[in-house]
Amino acid sequence: MRTVTVQGTNGATWRVRVVWEPRWRALARRFGGWRRNRKNGPDLGGLDLPSGNHSGGGGGGWGDLGDDIAIGIAIIVGMIVFGVLFWWFLLPLLLLVLDVVVVVVLLIAGIVGRVLFRRPWIVEATGDGGAPVAAEVVGWRAALRSRDEIADRLRLGYSPQDAVTAVQLPGAQRL
């Protein structure tokens, strides 16, 4: 997804690329409802916290205190060893595996969304100071050809709107 940089006849520099990123405005509109609830804290009014007035049973006496202390120390040492192993070995390994799984799932979902559902690619031309001009093109190879054609037309001195309109497919929308 290389960006093609061209110099127009009037000296303006244009960057033409095929955009892979999702349309953030549409995603924010669709999935951004969680932000409305963020200002208000959670309602904890119905939370029933236990009081400290309860009595419990339990054994008593000083019977096998030496064995209990040895078992307690062994359990504490075992928990410390487990905690160190978990913190320095297992947790980073689990997070690495989770990151790889998330990246693979997102990659597969992106490919499915683009290829199977024929979602159009956005070919965008951005100038030095002007607003970006974009066209939607269906198909990856067609988008690369459109990127090169728009770059050639901008190099020849066409206006950005004319360059995008000339390569736009008949069924695609203009952004």
Side-chain angles (χ1 to χ4, degrees):
M1 293 190 273
R2 186 174 65 94
T3 299
V4 177
T5 304
V6 295
Q7 187 94 18
T9 55
N10 60 356
T13 302
W14 291 92
R15 287 172 303 285
V16 185
R17 67 185 183 123
V18 178
V19 180
W20 169 258
E21 299 97 22
R23 298 178 189 115
W24 292 112
R25 273 182 263 142
L27 287 175
R29 201 173 341 125
R30 180 174 292 162
F31 299 113
W34 60 272
R35 293 182 187 198
R36 286 189 290 264
N37 297 333
R38 204 165 94 184
K39 293 178 184 175
N40 302 332
D43 181 24
L44 300 177
L47 187 61
D48 187 21
L49 297 174
S51 65
N53 299 333
H54 59 79
S55 61
W62 293 89
D64 297 322
L65 185 62
D67 292 340
D68 290 342
I69 290 176
I71 291 173
I73 290 173
I75 289 174
I76 290 174
V77 168
M79 289 175 57
I80 290 173
V81 168
F82 175 76
V84 167
L85 285 176
F86 180 77
W87 185 259
W88 294 108
F89 181 69
L90 292 176
L91 184 64
L93 187 63
L94 288 173
L95 292 176
L96 178 70
V97 169
L98 180 68
D99 284 348
V100 169
V101 167
V102 167
V103 167
V104 167
V105 167
L106 289 176
L107 182 66
I108 290 171
I111 290 171
V112 166
R114 291 284 185 179
V115 174
L116 292 182
F117 299 133
R118 295 187 52 87
R119 182 174 173 208
W121 294 89
I122 298 173
V123 180
E124 180 181 69
T126 307
D128 287 334
V133 180
E136 290 185 352
V137 181
V138 176
W140 174 247
R141 291 186 192 136
L144 293 178
R145 281 193 301 270
S146 297
R147 177 198 63 190
D148 295 338
E149 290 176 19
I150 290 173
D152 289 339
R153 290 178 188 275
L154 289 171
R155 185 180 298 120
L156 294 174
Y158 281 71
S159 71
Q161 290 79 15
D162 292 339
V164 169
T165 305
V167 298
Q168 185 116 26
L169 294 176
Q173 297 176 350
R174 179 129 188 247
L175 297 177

